[in-house]
Amino acid sequence: MNAPQGFIGRSVERREDARFLTGRGQYTDDITLPGQAYAAFVRSPYAHARIRSLSTAAAAAAPGVLGIYTGEHFKAVGGLPCGWLIHSLDGSPMKEPKHPILADGKVRYVGDRVALVVAETLQQAKDAAQMVEVDYEELPPVVDPARAAGAPDAVHDEAPDNRVYHWGIGDKDGTDAAFRDAAHVTTLSFRNNRLIPNAMEPRAANATYDANADSYTLYVSNQNPHVERLLMCAFVLGIPEHKMRVVAPDVGGGFGSKIFLYGEETALVYATRQLRRPVKWTCERSESFLSDAHGRDHVTTARLALDKDGHFLALRADTTANLGAYLSTFASSVPTILHATLLAGQYRTPRIWCEVTAVFTNTAPVDAYRGAGRPEATYLLERIVETAAREMGIDPVEIRRRNFITTFPYASPVGLTYDIGDYDATMRRVLEEADVGGYAARRSASEARGLRRGIGYSAYIEACGIAPSSVAGALGARAGLFEAGEVRVHPTGKVTIFTGAHSHGQGHETTFAQVVADRLGLPLEDISIEHGDTGKVLFGMGTYGSRSLAVGGTAIVKAVDKIIAKGRKIAAHLMEASDADIEFEGGQFKVAGTDKAVPFAQVALTAYVPHNFPHDKLEPGLNENAFYDPSNFTFPAGSYVCEVEVDTATGAVRVDRFTACDDFGNVVNPMIVEGQVHGGLAQGIGQALLEHGVYDPESGQLLTGSYMDYAMPRADDVPSFSVHTVAGTPCTHNPLGVKGCGEAGAIGSTPAVINAICDALGIKDLPMPATPYTVWQAARNAERLTTR
């Protein structure tokens, strides 16, 4: 049969969906091993307390209990490591108190792990956990990040003022000088609200120990199994890395919260060796709210200096970032490297200075959550740009256009070099698709129904395809950020791809297969994708930061190119031609200028029959691997337009229209890309209108610890999105020309929504989330101001 061509750019249906839709996916909790035991954790009911005493005697005597473990069992091992070292402005390294597997003498947030109980059944483990007796001495908690620095109560003795670091980037003196010469200065102070990840599948782990081989297998709901293994083995438990296999099977969403090494799975690995039994734990939703790493939670004051014509002169940002009670795996990098380096946005602002003070508080650790620093930067920038436009009486689109970067490559004042972009192209397209010209008529129609209509804009850029190692290392990364791919061609010409990237909703089994099928000229069904198993795949860094296709896909392409290069040599022998005359196209090796050709499958079979080719010059087999470490980030960008209707009598906000136009470079599967953008938009709108992780300021109790109090976006909270892409600027430094797309919607949407509400109400600022009560209050205050 003739192999289909042109898989790049086709909306191929996701191959993995058949098993998910028919209930045949296999998640960590679906795995039950012979002799399976079950775990439950005792968690702190206090935000800050000393453990005076802890008794496990009654629990140990309970039916079915196999073992109970406390902080005493882990005194000799390392704490959970932080993977990014940040230095303060004075050159001192960040404060890194030990992050214990189980609490060691003190608990530091509600939900902190105190003890692990293992029993024959889950119910027995839960019952026994209730019988563990802990005597706490409650201490005053530190909850508000704005008041944490210098607070009288220290979360950790190693950080008596609760400061983790005081960091900065940019040109402070130049920025200060530009403000002195500015014709106009816009100032905004706001809080980027704390978010709690809510993946459909909660965290889960199942650890087992093989005494005969002295080896471990850990099944875990995780986004990067190799990193999980490395951190746990090398930095915590001291297990030889080759004695640990980590398997991340089907994973039901992550959004960043499953990147990190957590204490729960680490404790299970310890317990399985002690008990010689497999131990399983699945997080309940109430536990997830308490113990999953949260996101965002920045308190910021931003100032933008402009000349009389609205050209940007300088930007200054001062942020206090809440990192919670302990440093999670990538926590230190989020408000610094992943945030401040994006403050140039799409604009040629000549001077930028950003200072970040990170603080410990008695709240759950805060780390990367979809976008990880980039949403916070975009919100800061796009809110202050829109506010400046309205203060100066300049159209918000026009002020952006006056300041767009138009020449590439562009070295920003905060350390990044954008390789390519066309920001006016996405702006032109989104204005057309959003029918901005018809906005006035829609506003009049809303007013006729007693509603206020507002329009808001957002123009974002993100640095993603997280790597390169050289840049990341210079900025404090303690690990490389490359990716690995292996291409295994079987004797029949079928192909198995092994990738260090991990799929948990992104559609890798489809898009990676499209890339390989397109390059090899094979039918899509001849390609299979393997991932998520350290026992099968090369060491890879996993999936986060919209890096899978740009970094992981490129590693696969490099390995495919090696396959083709070896295939040329074999084909040359078969057709008695020179290697230099062999071309590969459409799944066939051809002698240039002739009709002689052999199909890929024949070359594959020949590779495994050594006497049919010069084995003295070539090794048998057709199997290649490659590692790829990019030279730069990729820089997707886009423009968003949001229209809202506001009922000022009730404060209710309805997102009526939302139009997105993104530049992702070359697009492999438009349908999957659109789905990724849809999900991101829903999360961004959720942050703007609904979601807020709130702790009681006095007790440190999580007040939004269930879906009764933490509002998630539902289908009726979002409109039918209008999503578009332009492909005018393919990435210049990877062979696919692709940029990341998985986080864009969550990055660009939130400020567009708040800008639209502010426009509707005629106000400068509005706290997030814009709940009906918050909007109602803002509307009342605006009315009082206009009637004075």
Side-chain angles (χ1 to χ4, degrees):
M1 62 180 290
N2 292 324
Q5 297 299 298
F7 278 110
I8 303 298
R10 287 175 53 185
S11 291
V12 176
E13 291 186 0
R14 292 184 8 145
R15 303 198 300 172
E16 48 270 72
D17 283 352
R19 72 174 186 273
F20 295 144
L21 293 173
T22 56
R24 292 182 290 114
Q26 187 181 58
Y27 300 89
T28 298
D29 189 60
D30 294 325
I31 298 169
T32 299
L33 302 171
Q36 186 71 67
Y38 298 85
F41 284 88
V42 178
R43 297 186 182 275
S44 171
Y46 298 107
H48 197 195
R50 289 190 183 90
I51 299 175
R52 288 196 183 106
S53 65
L54 192 160
S55 174
T56 63
V65 171
L66 300 171
I68 301 178
Y69 306 93
T70 69
E72 289 294 321
H73 292 90
F74 293 94
K75 280 186 175 293
V77 305
L80 301 177
C82 181
W84 213 292
L85 176 63
I86 299 298
H87 286 84
S88 291
L89 287 169
D90 63 6
S92 61
M94 66 186 186
K95 303 292 194 305
E96 287 188 86
K98 184 177 180 180
H99 186 174
I101 311 307
L102 298 175
D104 184 10
K106 200 176 187 185
V107 291
R108 293 182 171 86
Y109 66 99
V110 175
D112 204 354
R113 299 171 300 273
V114 175
L116 165 65
V117 178
V118 182
E120 295 284 358
T121 70
L122 178 58
Q123 191 58 55
Q124 287 173 334
K126 288 181 176 180
D127 290 344
Q130 294 291 325
M131 300 170 68
V132 174
E133 299 173 4
V134 187
D135 182 18
Y136 295 99
E137 177 192 349
E138 192 172 2
L139 302 171
V142 178
V143 177
D144 185 355
R147 300 177 180 178
D153 302 294
V155 179
H156 295 276
D157 293 342
E158 296 88 340
D161 61 358
N162 292 318
R163 289 182 175 89
V164 184
Y165 52 73
H166 177 218
W167 177 89
I169 192 171
D171 178 0
K172 185 178 186 300
D173 292 341
T175 300
D176 290 344
F179 271 93
R180 289 193 292 269
D181 297 333
H184 181 85
V185 174
T186 294
T187 302
L188 275 180
S189 294
F190 55 87
R191 183 166 187 163
N192 203 296
N193 42 320
R194 176 182 280 245
L195 302 179
I196 302 176
N198 277 279
M200 289 180 68
E201 179 207 21
R203 289 190 293 123
N206 194 345
T208 184
Y209 174 69
D210 181 346
N212 292 325
D214 188 27
S215 64
Y216 304 77
T217 300
L218 172 66
Y219 300 92
V220 62
S221 184
N222 183 268
Q223 298 176 216
N224 46 0
H226 273 290
V227 176
E228 173 99 355
R229 181 179 72 166
L230 173 64
L231 297 179
M232 187 184 297
C233 290
F235 297 97
V236 186
L237 297 180
I239 298 170
E241 195 175 0
H242 68 292
K243 292 292 186 178
M244 168 78 81
R245 177 187 174 205
V246 175
V247 182
D250 289 328
V251 173
F255 311 119
S257 68
K258 295 177 183 175
I259 298 172
F260 323 120
L261 177 64
Y262 286 91
E264 286 87 354
E265 61 258 32
T266 309
L268 262 60
V269 169
Y270 177 89
T272 188
R273 176 166 186 145
Q274 306 304 311
L275 298 172
R276 302 298 202 264
R277 295 273 298 274
V279 184
K280 186 191 329 190
W281 167 78
T282 300
C283 194
E284 296 188 348
R285 188 60 66 180
S286 58
E287 282 186 289
S288 293
F289 275 100
L290 292 173
S291 63
D292 287 4
H294 294 181
R296 315 287 193 255
D297 209 354
H298 288 189
V299 180
T300 295
T301 295
R303 301 172 69 225
L304 180 66
L306 306 93
D307 69 14
K308 62 182 178 60
D309 297 315
H311 296 111
F312 303 163
L313 302 176
L315 174 71
R316 167 142 192 167
D318 294 276
T319 288
T320 297
N322 187 356
L323 299 188
Y326 302 101
L327 293 183
S328 181
T329 308
F330 293 115
S332 57
S333 67
V334 174
T336 52
I337 307 308
L338 298 179
H339 168 255
T341 57
L342 268 297
L343 287 176
Q346 298 186 7
Y347 311 113
R348 53 180 187 274
T349 309
R351 299 285 184 269
I352 298 175
W353 174 249
C354 176
E355 286 187 23
V356 177
T357 300
V359 295
F360 289 118
T361 62
N362 292 115
T363 63
V366 179
D367 208 320
Y369 175 73
R370 197 170 191 171
R374 281 79 47 91
E376 296 92 316
T378 300
Y379 187 80
L380 183 161
L381 191 57
E382 290 307 293
R383 283 289 295 117
I384 202 165
V385 166
E386 189 115 345
T387 303
R390 300 191 190 283
E391 287 180 350
M392 297 185 72
I394 303 172
D395 179 80
V397 173
E398 175 58 28
I399 200 171
R400 288 176 168 88
R401 282 177 156 159
R402 289 181 191 179
N403 291 281
F404 276 159
I405 298 162
T406 56
T407 303
F408 296 88
Y410 175 79
S412 84
V414 279
L416 299 181
T417 298
Y418 306 166
D419 61 329
I420 194 168
D422 186 348
Y423 307 139
D424 198 57
T426 55
M427 182 62 79
R428 285 196 310 271
R429 178 73 180 277
V430 81
L431 295 177
E432 174 188 341
E433 298 291 349
D435 184 26
V436 172
Y439 169 72
R442 293 191 293 275
R443 183 179 59 194
S444 296
S446 296
E447 290 172 351
R449 300 195 307 274
L451 303 173
R452 299 274 189 90
R453 179 175 284 264
I455 188 168
Y457 303 89
S458 174
Y460 80 91
I461 188 170
E462 61 165 319
C464 61
I466 294 298
S469 297
S470 58
V471 174
L475 295 173
R478 287 165 160 164
L481 291 170
F482 53 84
E483 198 45 80
E486 179 183 355
V487 179
R488 185 178 300 173
V489 181
H490 303 287
T492 57
K494 313 302 182 185
V495 180
T496 301
I497 304 298
F498 298 87
T499 174
H502 185 275
S503 182
H504 41 279
Q506 293 85 353
H508 293 170
E509 293 174 36
T510 303
T511 51
F512 285 175
Q514 285 182 253
V515 168
V516 175
D518 188 87
R519 212 157 185 94
L520 291 179
L522 299 178
L524 202 64
E525 57 267 22
D526 285 1
I527 315 293
S528 65
I529 308 296
E530 295 282 344
H531 64 91
D533 186 341
T534 63
K536 293 181 179 180
V537 303
L538 298 170
F539 189 101
M541 300 306 293
T543 293
Y544 45 85
S546 302
R547 71 192 304 271
S548 296
L549 193 57
V551 187
T554 298
I556 292 169
V557 166
K558 289 169 68 69
V560 168
D561 288 346
K562 293 180 181 180
I563 292 288
I564 294 171
K566 184 173 182 179
R568 283 197 178 97
K569 296 180 186 297
I570 297 172
H573 174 77
L574 291 174
M575 293 185 286
E576 299 180 337
S578 167
D579 300 359
D581 293 332
I582 301 299
E583 300 174 342
F584 182 70
E585 182 182 1
Q588 291 189 318
F589 292 92
K590 304 175 182 179
V591 179
T594 75
D595 60 358
K596 296 177 67 174
V598 293
F600 180 81
Q602 183 179 346
V603 169
L605 181 60
T606 303
Y608 290 93
V609 186
H611 59 271
N612 285 342
F613 72 92
H615 56 275
D616 57 324
K617 296 181 181 178
L618 291 173
E619 294 179 352
L622 200 53
N623 189 92
E624 298 287 351
N625 62 61
F627 288 82
Y628 176 64
D629 195 342
S631 60
N632 197 358
F633 300 99
T634 69
F635 295 97
S639 296
Y640 292 174
V641 178
C642 175
E643 289 186 34
V644 300
E645 283 188 326
V646 180
D647 183 345
T648 56
T650 65
V653 175
R654 184 174 73 90
V655 179
D656 183 53
R657 298 162 67 95
F658 200 106
T659 308
C661 183
D662 301 282
D663 179 358
F664 296 134
N666 294 332
V667 173
V668 172
N669 188 312
M671 179 186 68
I672 288 178
V673 166
E674 184 174 355
Q676 288 287 303
V677 175
H678 277 212
L681 294 178
Q683 285 183 282
I685 292 171
Q687 176 174 10
L689 298 180
L690 300 161
E691 299 185 51
H692 193 189
V694 180
Y695 285 88
D696 182 87
E698 301 300 323
S699 68
Q701 294 292 327
L702 180 63
L703 301 179
T704 53
S706 76
Y707 291 135
M708 293 292 290
D709 302 295
Y710 189 88
M712 296 281 287
R714 304 181 306 179
D716 59 353
D717 292 312
V718 297
S720 179
F721 300 123
S722 176
V723 173
H724 310 273
T725 58
V726 297
T729 63
C731 178
T732 61
H733 55 78
N734 69 59
L736 294 169
V738 297
K739 307 175 185 180
C741 73
E743 297 165 296
I747 291 170
S749 56
T750 308
V753 175
I754 299 300
N755 284 338
I757 299 172
C758 289
D759 179 54
L761 298 180
I763 59 177
K764 178 177 179 177
D765 196 19
L766 184 71
M768 288 197 295
T771 62
Y773 180 67
T774 298
V775 173
W776 180 83
Q777 279 188 315
R780 297 286 79 74
N781 292 338
E783 287 176 4
R784 283 196 291 269
L785 288 173
T786 56
T787 56
R788 284 180 181 176

